[in-house]
Amino acid sequence: MTTQRIYLDHAATTPLRPEARRAMEHGFAQWANPSSPHSEGRKARALLEDARERLKAALHWDGKVIFTGGASEAAALAFDNANVVHDIATAVEHDAILRGDDVDWTIPVRPDGTADMQLLATRSEPLAEMEGYSENRTLVAVQHINSETGNRQHIGFAAELVHDNGGLLLVDCAQSAGKFAVPQMADMAIISAHKFGGPIGVGALLVRDYAMLHPGGGQERGYRRGTENLPGILGMVAALEACDEPYVAPDVLAPLDGFAEAVRAAGGVWLSDRLADPTPYIHAVAMPGISGSAQLMRFDMAGIAVSQGSACSSGTMKRSHVLTAMGLDGDLADRMIRVSFGWTTTRAEIERFCEVWLDMARTGQRA
């Protein structure tokens, strides 16, 4: 039993960086409504616009930035305000996108997690049946890095196909911003501050051109309703600027190579083996003979916080729609847990997790 709790659920939340905390304190001290005409409001507006330019510089984004209350609001803004007729998303998108009634059709994925974007190029039957598809723009949402598997989509290929078909590409970069470069070929991109050590409740929608959206509010150049969260925005930008390259040092992650071999030897499944483009900071692993929910409870008792599927939907006890879309059988999907690593993760924490997992697997096989 560890004396200090270990958090290996960084894909769901990451501790606030000290740089972000200091920036937020400055924002609270300087707080005023950035839309107010008085001197305090003008000072707040100057801080806001400086933060906007700093964020664009940190992400190498030469388009526009609309600050939001997080990734979900950014997604809703894109779907509700994009100047398009139809909306399409891959079958492994976040629930915030798929649970709405905006998506007309979902792009299936292959067993390796790759979205079958070629269907856009071949004008498959579902697309051809969409009234006005060939004459009007379509918004296509593609998640850069999946929050449950860590698989990375080929955004360059997706952009080529979407643009060839006259569409707009929305890339969900909630799990990749701060860790990997934001795809510059995207027409719109979503980021979320707390995924890279910024405060919760703040994010942004990056837009290549405001003309891609119709206005919908009084703030953020008329594209958002609600006063800007200046302290949160300053914290987000400071956290983004503090992100290192690489996001987590290779030495910290080194124990995972041996652990993956041990998982295979124990009869488990290291899902990254099956993925087209696995990334190092999110992994899914299935234990033989023990359900994911039982594993979560045992890990919790051992002082280790992990997750099963997306944290935003894990409380529903429903089978992961991501793993189902990839074609995993129900038993395997139900035995899968997710571990993810962030800027505070240590090598000792990963080694402890590996030790507990293997001990739990051996105990389960003897039972």
Side-chain angles (χ1 to χ4, degrees):
M1 181 77 65
T2 55
T3 57
Q4 184 173 350
R5 192 157 179 80
I6 296 172
Y7 294 92
L8 296 184
D9 192 16
H10 282 255
T13 186
T14 300
L16 186 66
R17 292 176 182 268
E19 296 89 348
R21 188 181 303 277
R22 290 193 293 269
M24 292 180 69
E25 290 172 351
H26 177 64
F28 282 119
Q30 299 294 318
W31 164 247
N33 190 327
S35 298
S36 298
H38 48 62
S39 60
E40 290 82 359
R42 294 197 302 273
K43 290 177 183 178
R45 171 60 61 181
L47 286 174
L48 182 71
E49 296 309 320
D50 178 67
R52 199 185 310 274
E53 293 304 314
R54 287 165 55 200
L55 185 140
K56 289 169 60 175
L59 297 175
H60 305 290
W61 182 257
D62 61 1
K64 312 300 183 182
V65 173
I66 301 173
F67 291 121
T68 67
S72 295
E73 185 196 340
L77 195 158
F79 275 96
D80 293 344
N81 294 66
N83 290 315
V84 298
V85 174
H86 298 295
D87 299 309
I88 297 174
T90 76
V92 293
E93 294 301 303
H94 192 276
D95 280 335
I97 289 177
L98 294 180
R99 279 185 175 176
D101 57 3
D102 298 318
V103 177
D104 299 307
W105 181 63
T106 55
I107 302 170
V109 297
R110 303 184 180 96
D112 65 2
T114 303
D116 196 356
M117 300 300 298
Q118 194 64 36
L119 291 177
L120 294 179
T122 58
R123 298 291 181 91
S124 66
E125 184 176 348
L127 286 177
E129 290 179 350
M130 286 185 180
E131 181 182 355
Y133 173 76
S134 59
E135 293 84 17
N136 299 285
R137 274 182 162 176
T138 297
L139 181 68
V140 181
V142 180
Q143 195 175 49
H144 194 192
I145 295 177
N146 187 266
S147 60
E148 295 187 35
T149 67
N151 188 61
R152 177 167 43 189
Q153 297 292 343
H154 191 334
I155 300 301
F157 180 63
E160 181 179 352
L161 293 176
V162 170
H163 293 155
D164 284 350
N165 282 273
L168 298 177
L169 179 64
L170 168 66
V171 182
D172 181 358
C173 296
Q175 293 294 347
S176 61
K179 307 173 184 70
F180 300 96
V182 168
Q184 299 301 306
M185 67 288 296
D187 297 297
M188 305 181 201
I190 295 167
I191 69 169
S192 180
H194 76 270
K195 302 296 185 181
F196 47 78
I200 60 172
V202 62
L205 177 66
L206 312 183
V207 185
R208 182 61 54 198
D209 192 302
Y210 285 135
M212 295 176 176
L213 302 171
H214 57 264
Q219 282 73 35
E220 290 299 283
R221 310 298 200 274
Y223 291 91
R224 180 186 185 250
R225 298 184 180 98
T227 302
E228 294 92 345
N229 176 4
L230 180 62
I233 290 167
L234 295 180
M236 172 172 65
V237 174
L240 187 60
E241 292 174 335
C243 289
D244 294 325
E245 177 63 39
Y247 188 68
V248 180
D251 179 66
V252 171
L253 301 174
L256 293 176
D257 291 335
F259 175 62
E261 294 180 8
V263 168
R264 301 179 196 110
V269 172
W270 185 249
L271 191 62
S272 293
D273 291 339
R274 306 184 179 193
L275 301 178
D277 189 8
T279 46
Y281 310 128
I282 301 174
H283 291 284
V285 55
M287 185 179 294
I290 303 179
S291 69
S293 57
Q295 291 177 56
L296 260 61
M297 288 187 289
R298 297 188 188 185
F299 276 115
D300 193 51
M301 293 174 63
I304 302 175
V306 297
S307 63
Q308 186 180 20
S310 170
C312 297
S313 60
S314 59
T316 64
M317 301 303 291
K318 291 167 54 179
R319 184 168 294 153
S320 164
H321 75 277
V322 172
L323 301 181
T324 299
M326 290 173 57
L328 269 68
D329 68 74
D331 175 67
L332 178 58
D334 290 344
R335 290 187 286 109
M336 196 77 66
I337 65 169
R338 178 193 69 179
V339 290
S340 50
F341 316 105
W343 69 277
T344 59
T345 303
T346 66
R347 181 179 177 126
E349 289 175 336
I350 293 179
E351 290 173 341
R352 173 62 179 163
F353 162 75
C354 298
E355 174 189 343
V356 173
W357 191 98
L358 292 170
D359 182 65
M360 194 183 302
R362 287 190 291 266
T363 302
Q365 291 174 348
R366 291 196 299 267

